[in-house]
Amino acid sequence: MRMHGVAGLALLGALVLVVAPGAARAQDEKVKVQVEVVLASNKGTAVEPAELSKMKETFQKQNFSFTSFKRLSQEVLEVGTDKATEVKLPNGVNASLKLLAMKGGIATVRVDIPRQSSLDVELGRQGSVYQKAGRHVGGELILVLSPPPK
């Protein structure tokens, strides 16, 4: 996975992306991405829902020692080349995702979050990608990009 720009958190894993039907021309290609907004903090030890315990373990291995993880939102979005797809964050800003290129099953997606560095990420075939998305109520918002559920 190649990153451009400065990331507040290490991007971990890779991501399965599926080209949407009818996206034959390069100028209107699209990929489906599951986008979660998670609040990671050191207030308590709750992990809600339980499947975020894998994220907690991954963060501990990377020396990001948050003790509490709570999913604030989750949705599947189509991200295309023609315009950015917006994700509303609870800290009052919007993150945007834009597909820059598809080549050999690898998608290059630009992640723009106000007051954070812009980041171009190459997304592969499996796993999740975590990106810091700003402070919120005593913790950090984490944008989690994953394959859509089947």
Side-chain angles (χ1 to χ4, degrees):
M1 189 174 350
R2 182 175 31 159
M3 301 182 308
H4 306 283
V6 178
L9 287 176
L11 291 175
L12 309 166
L15 178 63
V16 172
L17 294 174
V18 179
V19 177
R25 294 175 301 183
Q27 60 267 34
D28 64 355
E29 283 186 308
K30 294 184 186 236
V31 293
K32 289 190 178 188
V33 180
Q34 179 172 286
V35 179
E36 295 177 80
V37 178
V38 174
L39 178 63
S41 74
N42 289 314
K43 293 181 179 178
T45 59
V47 177
E48 300 172 16
E51 58 256 24
L52 291 179
S53 60
K54 182 178 177 182
M55 181 179 177
K56 181 178 181 178
E57 290 171 16
T58 301
F59 274 49
Q60 287 173 339
K61 288 177 187 174
Q62 297 290 320
N63 293 320
F64 296 111
S65 58
F66 296 111
T67 58
S68 174
F69 291 79
K70 181 174 182 173
R71 181 186 297 147
L72 303 178
S73 67
Q74 179 180 25
E75 59 187 320
V76 174
L77 300 174
E78 278 195 349
V79 178
T81 55
D82 52 347
K83 71 175 200 168
T85 301
E86 300 290 317
V87 178
K88 186 171 178 68
L89 301 174
N91 61 356
V93 301
N94 288 337
S96 66
L97 306 174
K98 186 172 185 180
L99 179 63
L100 298 179
M102 280 291 294
K103 185 174 181 179
I106 304 293
T108 302
V109 175
R110 173 159 293 152
V111 181
D112 282 313
I113 302 170
R115 297 183 294 275
Q116 305 287 326
S117 293
S118 206
L119 189 64
D120 293 349
V121 185
E122 286 186 351
L123 305 169
R125 302 218 177 263
Q126 60 185 342
S128 296
V129 176
Y130 306 112
Q131 173 60 43
K132 180 180 173 182
R135 297 197 57 74
H136 183 63
V137 296
E140 290 287 340
L141 293 174
I142 309 296
L143 205 57
V144 182
L145 308 176
S146 304
K150 297 189 187 226

